[in-house]
Amino acid sequence: MSTLVLALIAGAVVGLALGALGGGGSVLTVPALIYLLGFTPAAATTASLIIVTVTSATSLYSHAAAGNVRWRTGLLFAAAGIPAALAAAALAARLPPPLLTAAFAAVAGLAAVRMLTSPAHEGGCRPVRPVRAAGAGAGLGAVTGFLGVGGGFLAVPALVGVLGLRMRAAIGTSLLVITVNSLAALTVRTGGSTPLDWAVVAPFTGAAVLGAWDGKRLTAGIAGPVLQRIFAVVLLCVAAFMLADTIR
């Protein structure tokens, strides 16, 4: 199978997950770039930020048109993560590739287990605690900068559990948070010397953007808990494969 076809297929899968779940597809981008398309871990995390930023921003538009984005809440949450994203991105550039891959696998695995063991719920109208919100936003920013992912697989649970948003609003708002955090981390990454294969990154991004539009329509036909469990199983398998690859 040609590299172009692989890039288009992988991009479509990432876009579907982002559009349907408000995140999660980005955590599949890095392993797809490494194992399917031959990127180094450093190049994969940088390319992932580009793909995630563009895809999240375009998907954000459709969710905003449906009234599912809480702009003030999302911007405040994202602002807390910007300094952490910048610092973590600078740190990641200094780490050896095996350590970066192992860290990515560990975070992905923990996220998958949490998604499998935590029941999906719609959230409630609870008061926002600024300290908890700032802490959650900073943690998400650090994950974004360090691992080159948007952090949506962590953003949605945080927006529901910490800020009390309902699930559809959390999905839409998470795309705003992902876009801001990814842009912040990307400002540090693009200053490096890691070359990117744009013949792969460009079609991957285009397929992801188109997939995100279809992913949003999936949420109307499939229950959120079902999508969550399917994605968690896939994510757990990817994490196990990456971790096994680093220790062999």
Side-chain angles (χ1 to χ4, degrees), residues 87-101:
L91 175 62
R94 301 173 182 270
L95 295 178
L99 182 58
L100 196 60
T101 303

Side-chain angles (χ1 to χ4, degrees), residues 156-239:
V156 173
L159 289 168
V160 172
V162 178
L163 302 185
L165 296 186
R166 296 191 178 276
M167 186 61 69
R168 289 191 182 277
I171 290 173
T173 305
S174 75
L175 291 167
L176 173 62
V177 176
I178 292 168
T179 302
V180 174
N181 281 345
S182 297
L183 279 172
L186 195 57
T187 60
V188 175
R189 297 277 187 143
T190 52
S193 57
T194 304
L196 295 180
D197 186 353
W198 287 102
V200 174
V201 174
F204 195 119
T205 304
V209 169
L210 294 176
W213 286 88
D214 290 331
K216 182 180 180 296
R217 288 196 287 269
L218 276 178
T219 60
I222 303 176
V226 175
L227 287 173
Q228 176 176 306
R229 291 189 183 96
I230 292 173
F231 178 76
V233 171
V234 174
L235 184 59
L236 191 60
C237 293
V238 170

